[in-house]
Amino acid sequence: MIVEASDLRRDFVVRRKAGRLRRTRDVVAAVDGISFSIGAGECVGYIGANGAGKSTTIKMLTGILVPTSGTVRVCGLDPVRQRTSLARRIGVVFGQRSQLWWDLPLRESFRLLAAIHRLPALQWRDRLDECVALLETGPFLETPVRQLSLGQRMRGEVTAALLHSPELLVLDEPTIGLDLLSKERLRAFLARERRERGTTILLTTHDLPDIERLCDRILVVDHGRMAFDGTLPGLIERVGAERVLIIDLMEPEPALFDVPGTTLLQVEAGGLRQHLAFRPEQTTAAEVVAAVSARVALRDLAVTEPDIEDVVRRLYQP
Amino acid sequence: MPLIAVRPAAVLAGSGFRRWSAYRQAAIAGIFVNTVFGVIKLSILLGVADSAGGRVGGYDEVGLSTYAWMSQALIAVVVLFSWTELADRVRTGDIAVDLARPVDLQLAWLAADIGRAAWALLSRGVVPILFGAAAFGFRVPRDPTAWLLLPVAVTLAVAVSFACRFLVNLSAFWIIEVRGPVTFYVLVSGLLGGHLIPVQLFPEWMQVLAYATPFPSMVQSPIDLVTGQAAGSEALLLVTVQLGWAVLLLGLGRLVLRRATRRLVVQGG
């Protein structure tokens, strides 16, 4: 097992003003007794709403936050006590923080990190060349980090986290703020990293395609507790998340309330636009479209996916 | 395994040097300001010496000029102004990134600070001294031990200064906003360290007070080696005291850091 957490808990003390001088002291459990384990080579998506306890868990896994109670072992080490040894074996990307040297050219950050990790020159140069080729960071290697765009910087961050070939890569919202192309390039790179090197990946995200593309397992945390541990189709099935087909018709038509496998959600513009919900495990978009076009003349259509926030919300409001 | 190996330390020192040398215009502005204030400081000191009959606190005119330009040269080297880089990283939570590295946090920052100081010495250190020496005179030590001890004394001054700043910045783990402690530190260290006026010009009681603090080890000690206020065994004693402060304060910094990381709360994201 790469990660083993058992009954992990972290409290924070929140002080509030309660009158002129008086202050109340509340204890809030950001992570409230979480247990899970991650095997070598897995790619796990760790999801949950803002404030659910994702980042707190990650900080405990990386040894920068002391658990209030419970045990955690990463790569067989105690993260807090053996933080420095652990840092040699894991790579971390905090999406909203930078591990690069702001004032120096990007290449310098890699040289510095290689020295900090005491990597032999031959080893890290090859690794860097590989990352540079795949993430296309070559054109801005000599640019000071402060001048990089977010997408460029994030590719630099991922390279920095992987330079020492870690066993476990932890990504805290790696695609946050990136455009579609940059997201896709990063996902393809991470998928390849896992395939070729067997790197275990744990990532937090709010982005469903990140999960679909990369993860074969998801953990859902809510209010500090583990709410779901399984596959994405399993989660969608459990909460009954629906995809919605939106169709625009050539002529206004009566409401299509009896298309097999669907539920009519909404009719707009006197029947010109209709919303049909269907469950992916019961039928496919293609079947629904075929059934609809057999009856009416279609002009345009769109399929909307359940988003992750929606799926998670449904987990609690059945 | 050592706390920090030689190569990472050297590379981190190099990063400190290059990070700061990236801002040439800031260095030029700093050199200009340090030089202008050097002229002002020296004028006041010469006025004091003149009204006292030519000598004051054991300094003659060339001695005062040497003091003035050395103390101006050391401003940037031992950072006598506000430094909150570490506290800022604690406040913003970026300290998490530093803690996720396989390197001793304090020694990594010390190595980078020595690199920074090296750049400061070559730019904001050397230029005001050259200007001051040409315009007002400068006494180069004749004692060879002074020459031998000077690089050690300047390095230890940087180490003591770093250890102090590190401690002041660590207060951010408890109080988040460190402007108060930093301002207090800048005021006290500049005064008691002998940056504003030489410690020898203080009244007796204040000299005792000053030498009970690490601050003269940051400023006055290297200057005393150059001006010859301390020579021979006295010079050796100064450097030994510096070493003592460096070890003591760095050790204290480690203790406080250990407690700080136990209570660390990295907020948001």
Side-chain angles (χ1 to χ4, degrees):
Chain A
M1 285 293 146
I2 292 284
V3 178
E4 281 186 286
S6 157
D7 206 19
L8 198 58
R9 184 183 170 93
R10 171 69 204 206
D11 294 335
F12 291 113
V13 174
V14 181
R15 291 188 178 82
R16 282 196 192 83
K17 272 194 164 168
R20 193 165 296 219
L21 289 170
R22 232 156 43 83
R23 284 195 170 189
T24 58
R25 187 173 177 280
D26 291 333
V27 176
V28 176
V31 170
D32 189 5
I34 278 183
S35 302
F36 64 93
S37 55
I38 298 174
E42 275 194 276
C43 182
V44 177
Y46 194 48
I47 62 178
N50 290 330
K54 301 187 300 289
S55 293
T56 305
T57 311
I58 283 189
K59 282 163 197 155
M60 288 193 281
L61 294 184
T62 49
I64 58 184
L65 195 62
V66 185
T68 305
S69 67
T71 57
V72 57
R73 295 193 80 75
V74 179
C75 301
L77 303 171
D78 176 344
V80 170
R81 291 183 182 284
Q82 297 165 289
R83 192 183 68 227
T84 319
S85 312
L86 181 61
R88 292 181 196 289
R89 298 174 57 181
I90 64 173
V92 188
V93 174
F94 296 104
Q96 318 202 47
R97 309 192 188 286
S98 181
Q99 58 188 314
L100 306 169
W101 276 257
W102 193 248
D103 322 87
L104 299 176
L106 183 58
R107 187 192 290 281
E108 282 295 304
S109 285
F110 300 142
R111 212 173 61 82
L112 283 160
L113 285 166
I116 287 174
H117 281 281
R118 304 186 206 171
L119 304 176
L122 277 173
Q123 186 190 325
W124 75 266
R125 293 246 157 82
D126 281 354
R127 180 74 167 141
L128 180 60
D129 289 346
E130 185 191 354
C131 291
V132 165
L134 290 168
L135 288 167
E136 297 166 43
T137 44
F140 47 88
L141 271 179
E142 310 303 332
T143 309
V145 171
R146 63 187 142 86
Q147 292 172 11
L148 298 181
S149 73
L150 179 65
Q152 293 173 332
R153 207 202 78 205
M154 196 52 75
R155 282 181 268 164
E157 300 282 352
V158 171
T159 306
L162 286 172
L163 209 55
H164 57 293
S165 307
E167 294 157 56
L168 170 68
L169 178 62
V170 179
L171 303 147
D172 196 0
E173 304 191 15
T175 57
I176 196 164
L178 297 187
D179 63 57
L180 281 175
L181 191 67
S182 305
K183 279 183 186 180
E184 198 42 48
R185 181 160 34 196
L186 190 56
R187 286 177 198 134
F189 175 80
L190 292 173
R192 182 183 184 279
E193 172 69 20
R194 182 185 170 209
R195 203 170 54 239
E196 307 268 305
R197 293 182 170 258
T199 309
T200 310
I201 299 177
L202 174 64
L203 67 98
T204 74
T205 185
H206 289 281
D207 203 331
L208 189 62
D210 282 353
I211 305 272
E212 284 177 331
R213 184 69 199 271
L214 290 170
C215 304
D216 32 33
R217 180 177 162 206
I218 51 178
L219 303 172
V220 181
V221 64
D222 185 80
H223 292 98
R225 290 179 171 277
M226 193 65 79
F228 180 83
D229 179 351
T231 61
L232 182 61
L235 177 62
I236 290 174
E237 190 177 347
R238 166 139 160 221
V239 301
E242 292 165 324
R243 303 175 79 188
V244 176
L245 178 72
I246 301 168
I247 48 174
D248 286 354
L249 308 174
M250 301 299 282
E251 305 282 330
E253 299 281 350
L256 296 161
F257 55 83
D258 55 353
V259 179
T262 71
T263 322
L264 183 66
L265 290 182
Q266 201 185 344
V267 178
E268 288 179 79
L272 262 180
R273 173 174 284 184
Q274 310 205 10
H275 298 240
L276 297 171
F278 63 97
R279 294 200 172 185
E281 68 274 14
Q282 288 172 355
T283 183
T284 65
E287 281 175 26
V288 178
V289 171
V292 168
S293 57
R295 291 168 49 178
V296 295
L298 281 175
R299 196 169 65 81
D300 198 5
L301 58 84
V303 182
T304 63
E305 304 291 337
D307 69 15
I308 220 149
E309 311 295 334
D310 189 41
V311 170
V312 173
R313 200 172 57 239
R314 279 160 177 267
L315 203 55
Y316 298 95
Q317 300 166 345
Chain B
M1 194 162 60
L3 291 168
I4 186 167
V6 175
R7 196 172 76 95
V11 173
L12 282 165
S15 80
F17 188 95
R18 270 194 303 274
R19 272 191 59 211
W20 290 80
S21 60
Y23 302 103
R24 299 283 157 88
Q25 279 158 349
I28 292 168
I31 288 168
F32 178 73
V33 172
N34 290 166
T35 307
V36 169
F37 275 92
V39 173
I40 296 170
K41 183 192 275 184
L42 181 56
S43 309
I44 295 170
L45 287 172
L46 288 176
V48 172
D50 193 39
S51 64
R55 287 182 77 88
V56 60
Y59 291 90
D60 58 9
E61 287 194 0
V62 184
L64 284 175
S65 176
T66 308
Y67 161 82
W69 296 107
M70 274 299 292
S71 67
Q72 287 304 99
L74 283 171
I75 290 178
V77 178
V78 298
V79 195
L80 291 171
F81 38 78
S82 149
W83 182 85
T84 56
E85 219 185 324
L86 179 65
D88 291 341
R89 289 185 76 81
V90 174
R91 188 170 49 77
T92 58
D94 285 343
I95 193 76
V97 173
D98 300 339
L99 288 170
R101 289 193 171 134
V103 63
D104 183 272
L105 185 113
Q106 187 196 36
L107 295 179
W109 277 79
L110 174 61
D113 199 60
I114 286 173
R116 177 206 57 74
W119 161 251
L121 188 67
L122 290 179
S123 56
R124 293 177 64 175
V126 167
V127 180
I129 288 181
L130 291 179
F131 169 83
F136 299 94
F138 195 88
R139 181 166 293 139
V140 177
R142 267 167 294 172
D143 182 6
T145 46
W147 283 104
L148 283 174
L149 286 176
L150 190 59
V152 182
V154 172
T155 310
L156 285 171
V158 173
V160 172
S161 146
F162 169 79
C164 289
R165 286 177 283 131
F166 189 78
L167 275 165
V168 173
N169 273 250
L170 282 186
S171 66
F173 279 100
W174 284 269
I175 60 172
I176 306 293
E177 177 54 67
V178 295
R179 267 179 294 188
V182 167
T183 307
F184 181 75
Y185 168 77
V186 168
L187 201 74
V188 173
S189 64
L191 180 64
L192 295 183
H195 166 62
L196 299 175
I197 55 168
V199 174
Q200 291 89 349
L201 265 58
F202 290 170
E204 191 76 25
W205 65 269
M206 209 169 142
Q207 288 194 30
V208 174
L209 176 68
Y211 281 111
T213 71
F215 306 127
S217 286
M218 289 161 40
V219 190
Q220 192 67 52
S221 300
I223 298 178
D224 284 350
L225 290 183
V226 177
T227 56
Q229 289 266 356
S233 63
E234 230 177 307
L236 209 57
L237 180 68
L238 275 190
V239 175
T240 311
V241 170
Q242 281 188 303
L243 182 66
W245 278 119
V247 170
L248 182 77
L249 292 168
L250 286 171
L252 188 61
R254 300 189 74 75
L255 279 177
V256 175
L257 178 65
R258 192 167 308 160
R259 296 211 54 176
T261 47
R262 294 292 296 186
R263 72 179 310 281
L264 170 65
V265 175
V266 177
Q267 291 170 333

